[in-house]
Amino acid sequence: MNFSVRKLIGTAAAAFIIVAAVTFILISRPPSLILKDAETGKQYARFSLAENESFSVTFIHSVNQSPVTDYYKRGEGNTLVLYATKFHAFGAGIPESWPADAKVETSSDGIYVTNLHITLPDVTYIVGTVSDHTLGIGDETVSLRDLCGKNAEVLFKLT
């Protein structure tokens, strides 16, 4: 076998190994939670979201001026599942009825609604101008005001 044939075989083998490694990495990594501008598509951040991980978004409700936290997890086919929410007072923009199998618990800490199972393709929040929205993911708490800016319309989507 001459030098050029050996070089061609070596190059093909190296290319195969690289393609296999990249494919393995893409297949084995968990989906990412992408935060992007809902209008322009500009990506603000990307977070890994493993199968059993969840995230939350906390904000001060603009009408009743009390904290609200929505809890999400990965669903099937890169969907988001709203599985719980916590708030301190009913009012405009806070649902008063829930799915039949939802559990509503009231305590001095607020109203906690669990067992929601609401599947969504994506979620959009408009970052507050007076109060911040925060993303809780893993051990991180991320200020959406710092990350995206006031009044940013932020789309949350799994990819």
Side-chain angles (χ1 to χ4, degrees):
M1 203 179 315
N2 67 28
F3 177 74
S4 62
V5 171
R6 281 191 305 225
K7 186 176 178 182
L8 180 63
I9 291 171
T11 302
F16 175 77
I17 291 169
I18 291 170
V19 169
V22 168
T23 301
F24 175 76
I25 289 169
L26 291 176
I27 289 173
S28 65
R29 78 174 186 188
S32 294
L33 176 65
I34 306 293
L35 276 61
K36 62 183 180 178
D37 186 290
E39 292 180 23
T40 67
K42 172 188 172 190
Q43 183 173 308
Y44 295 119
R46 173 186 293 263
F47 301 91
S48 270
L49 194 65
E51 190 164 336
N52 294 322
E53 285 185 307
S54 59
F55 68 93
S56 63
V57 177
T58 301
F59 58 95
I60 301 298
H61 192 277
S62 62
V63 176
N64 65 31
Q65 296 299 303
S66 63
V68 174
T69 302
D70 293 329
Y71 299 90
Y72 298 92
K73 63 184 176 182
R74 275 179 41 194
E76 293 187 24
N78 288 341
T79 60
L80 297 172
V81 176
L82 174 67
Y83 67 90
T85 189
K86 183 179 179 181
F87 53 94
H88 291 268
F90 284 100
I94 301 286
E96 292 185 20
S97 63
W98 304 97
D101 57 344
K103 288 179 59 180
V104 180
E105 299 174 14
T106 303
S107 73
S108 60
D109 195 34
I111 302 163
Y112 193 53
V113 184
T114 59
N115 208 33
L116 290 176
H117 308 293
I118 299 172
T119 301
L120 305 160
D122 53 51
V123 177
T124 302
Y125 286 91
I126 298 175
V127 179
T129 56
V130 176
S131 299
D132 198 359
H133 281 61
T134 57
L135 167 67
I137 188 164
D139 293 337
E140 291 185 71
T141 300
V142 179
S143 162
L144 296 183
R145 180 183 287 169
D146 291 347
L147 180 65
C148 311
K150 293 179 182 180
N151 275 333
E153 191 173 341
V154 183
L155 179 74
F156 290 67
K157 186 163 184 68
L158 283 176
T159 60

